[in-house]
Amino acid sequence: MFGPLLGLCRRSAGLSQEGLARRAGLSVRTISNLERGRARWPHPDSVRRLADALGLRPPTREQFFAAAMRQPHHDLAARTVPAPGAAEPGRADAGQARIDGAAAVPAPRQLPATVGCFAGRAAELAALTGLLDAHPEALVILAISGTAGVGKTALAVQWAHQVADRFPDGQLYVNLRGYDPDVPVTAGAALAGLLRTLGLPGLQIPDATEDRARIYRSRLAGRRVLVLLDNASDSGQVRPLLPGDPGSAAVVTSRDAMAGLVVTDGARRLDLDVLPLPDAVALLRSLIGSRVDDEPDAVAELAGLCARLPLALRIAAELAAARPSTPLAELVGELTTDCLDCLDAGEDRAEIRAVFSWSLRQLPADAARAFALLGLHPGQDLDVHAAAALTGTSARQAGILLGLLQRASLIQASGPGRYCMHDLLRAYARDQAGARDQAGARDQAGSCGTGAGQQGMARLFDYYLAAAAAAMDILLPAEVHLRPAIPPSAAAVPAMHGQVGARAWLDQELENLAAVVVQCADHGWPRHATRLAGTLHRYLMWGSHLTEGLNIQSHALAAARQCGDLAAEAEALNGLGAICYMKGHFGDAAGHYQAALELYRAGGGLGEARVLRNLGQIEHQMSNDRAAAGYYRRAFAAFTAAGDTWGAARALVGLAEAETELERYQQAAEHLQRALPMARAARDQEGEGAALEATGALCLRRGQLAQAARFFSRALAMFRRLNFPTEEAAQLFNLAEVSLRQDECSQAIGYLQQALTGFRHVGYQYGEIRVLRSLAAALYGAGQPTAAHAELAAALRLAAETGNTYEQACAHRDLADHHQRAAEHELARQHWQQALALFTKLDAPEADQVRSQLAG
């Protein structure tokens, strides 16, 4: 049956019925009727539009079409047309497979591993399951509240694994770090991560938290998903992260009572107390062994000293297991006599600090020192190289220290080669670091030296700067001179094997790098913040990490202003401009770029040249090519004066593109003849690909269609090698334009469908709008006016949703032409009037063309 298959494909693509309707240019009612079986045999054009919107690829695409028809019609599925020289379907390389169609996003399985030797909590586990059973078709929200270290997370994870099979569409997990003194996770940041997990590209993640929450709920609509929100601070942090549909469940752990969640959102609260004595003894027995049964009185006293908190019990048990010949009574005596002096009589659960202190005193001095320093790390976890930087040791020594701390249960593994710390232990570690620094200051009375904690943080920040710079030098070697100069780090940088290894390291450490920028900006390390932001800028843009980029560049801007560094302020403004440009917010981008230009003008050089080129790009995108050419000429002159071949070649390519639009073909050809060897001399493969693309565009405008196709195909191959999916899609779009000029509409449709899938895969909505408009032209040429109109309507909706005024105007103009050809003159006039208003608002040259249409 087609209906169930359509629903399955839609949910696998992470789309609501509204979202699929918007993409496919169909009504929500149509999709609802199809899924319910009320319209068993849909129109073939609707099937094609749905398959395209869902990004279906063989063999799923053929199955989809076969299910829609009374008889299988495999030929109805629009076939993928390979680019000249590209692999045939079924023999494509990994890049081809990625660009030709996006695979369905797999159901997320993010639950952490259960703790070893979980004991007790049978009643609590049964209560949670009972609440779920009592409301099988409702949205169930469970709040587990209790003091720090009581085992909230362990209980939630244990239960989540037990009921995971009830949630076939996946399990999501977020550690909100609600009680971290420096970097609790905001609801907006958590939503950005969840949306990426659910398949939303970074370019499509909106800025506002409420918009992210709306899309998040839409992505979860119709699914049965379990969401575990760990370590929340209050109801406000949690509420935007709750799913909205019946059949899903959310589990929240917090020290807070979550009264707001209970009263407003109908959450069921489970108050978690310390372990009953029998369960505490059972946990100790599972960790220590039969010695527990030999000394019942000592075990009971040990449980009491640990306040029957699972975290403290585990730490005490690890120490007891490490001293198998020492009677438990003797260990209890040591704890009682040696550590009472560290207790704060006014602090709740003071006993657990005694357990921490007891465990710490049994460690070698260097391991205890490492524990204190690790608590200062601003990110969620770290690897051996970051630990080596913090502790001032080699990677090998750091690995040994991490092993000692893990065996003592003071840290835990968060993944292969990575470690994290319970927030209660983190707080204690920071207290220890502060106490050590104070003691060091007393010992060095009269000196001006900094404490060990400050020295460790300096080493850590230096390390992340050096490692990020090393990764970027591998990833984009032609742009080394554009990034901040980074001094070498005392800590060794990890080996990164080629561009794949460099990008993998950056992807793995992105959250930590963002946390470091925030920490540096907010706590007196402004130059580290600005340097790290400048180093990461191109990676953030290349990978469409716009949410993290906005956070990083905003903090870098504040840091630059804090220390009066005008050059760094300009760099941050330039970064913010690039983020707005990628989002298609050209007006905001131009504002940031102009502000950066004012700051750069005092120093001139590469900063001014780069911003001039960026302003040229904006004017070119807005079809203000005379203004664009002026910016590109100024940028070329500035790059040339600075002796920068890379920048001069990029500026020449942009100038050639503007000259092509202005029909100055000879000048454009001369610029490109100079730019291509310059890009090669600078080892700038991305720039070389851009020059090839611009040459293809020039040939296209001159009517040299075969030459244009060859240049676009060479550019496509170049960008595939570079793993640059946005530009891959752009070249497929360009090849479609060649096919349209040759009246090969079927081939053009194939290219455009590939380009549309590629742009949607990376979330580049500006490219998606342009493809939809060209696809409408191809469909009209292929004799499918109804389908063409639907594509234009989709382009107009997307342009309006993204605030792209220029593309809105173009879509209105195209719709007017469509209605005019259909002799629907009043509708055509309405669209021309709307196009004229928008083009006039933009002061775009197209306004005169539309005005003449209305006058005619």
Side-chain angles (χ1 to χ4, degrees), residues 394-475:
S394 68
R396 179 179 175 277
Q397 291 169 314
I400 294 171
L401 294 173
L402 290 170
L404 287 171
L405 294 174
Q406 185 181 13
R407 285 192 293 275
S409 291
L410 294 173
I411 62 172
Q412 62 195 65
S414 60
R418 304 191 70 83
Y419 302 88
C420 63
M421 187 179 289
H422 187 283
D423 60 348
L424 199 58
L425 282 164
R426 183 190 296 271
Y428 180 70
R430 290 184 177 185
D431 286 346
Q432 290 297 301
R436 286 170 177 268
D437 278 357
Q438 290 177 5
R442 287 194 299 270
D443 293 341
Q444 300 175 15
S447 74
C448 58
T450 59
Q454 288 290 304
Q455 293 170 2
M457 294 297 277
R459 289 191 301 267
L460 180 71
F461 299 153
D462 287 344
Y463 159 74
Y464 275 123
L465 266 175
M472 291 303 298
D473 288 351
I474 296 170
L475 198 62

Side-chain angles (χ1 to χ4, degrees), residues 70-121:
R70 291 180 175 85
Q71 298 295 329
H73 290 295
H74 300 288
D75 57 313
L76 289 174
R79 296 178 60 83
T80 296
V81 182
E88 291 294 322
R91 297 170 55 192
D93 59 18
Q96 179 77 34
R98 185 192 63 256
I99 198 73
D100 286 351
V105 178
R109 307 288 185 220
Q110 294 188 326
L111 293 178
T114 57
V115 298
C117 302
F118 185 89
R121 302 301 193 194

Side-chain angles (χ1 to χ4, degrees), residues 789 815-816 818-830:
H789 185 275
L815 282 164
H818 175 86
H819 287 298
Q820 184 72 3
R821 285 193 293 264
E824 298 168 344
H825 302 299
E826 182 55 34
L827 288 172
R829 174 170 292 277
Q830 292 174 13

Side-chain angles (χ1 to χ4, degrees), residues 327-352:
L328 295 179
E330 184 177 330
L331 294 176
V332 170
E334 290 179 15
L335 174 60
T336 305
T337 59
D338 290 350
C339 297
L340 288 177
D341 58 345
C342 79
L343 301 182
D344 179 356
E347 182 182 347
D348 290 340
R349 303 295 181 188
E351 299 93 335
I352 197 168

Side-chain angles (χ1 to χ4, degrees), residues 662-701:
L662 294 168
E663 299 184 356
R664 300 170 183 168
Y665 300 143
Q666 185 58 40
Q667 295 97 316
E670 291 172 357
H671 296 323
L672 290 169
Q673 287 168 1
R674 295 177 64 189
L676 193 56
M678 291 170 67
R680 288 170 177 160
R683 297 186 302 129
D684 180 14
Q685 291 182 297
E686 184 185 342
E688 183 180 347
L692 291 169
E693 178 184 10
T695 306
L698 174 60
C699 292
L700 182 63
R701 289 294 292 270

Side-chain angles (χ1 to χ4, degrees), residues 307-386:
R308 287 183 277 137
L309 291 171
L311 176 62
L313 289 165
R314 287 180 177 276
I315 292 172
E318 290 293 340
L319 185 57
R323 297 168 65 180
S325 61
T326 303
L328 295 179
E330 184 177 330
L331 294 176
V332 170
E334 290 179 15
L335 174 60
T336 305
T337 59
D338 290 350
C339 297
L340 288 177
D341 58 345
C342 79
L343 301 182
D344 179 356
E347 182 182 347
D348 290 340
R349 303 295 181 188
E351 299 93 335
I352 197 168
R353 294 188 64 216
V355 176
F356 292 167
S357 174
W358 181 41
S359 182
L360 205 60
R361 291 188 183 192
Q362 310 307 312
L363 290 172
D366 55 351
R369 171 179 171 275
F371 169 76
L373 291 172
L374 292 180
L376 301 176
H377 189 277
Q380 294 212 23
D381 63 1
L382 80 171
D383 65 4
V384 67
H385 298 283

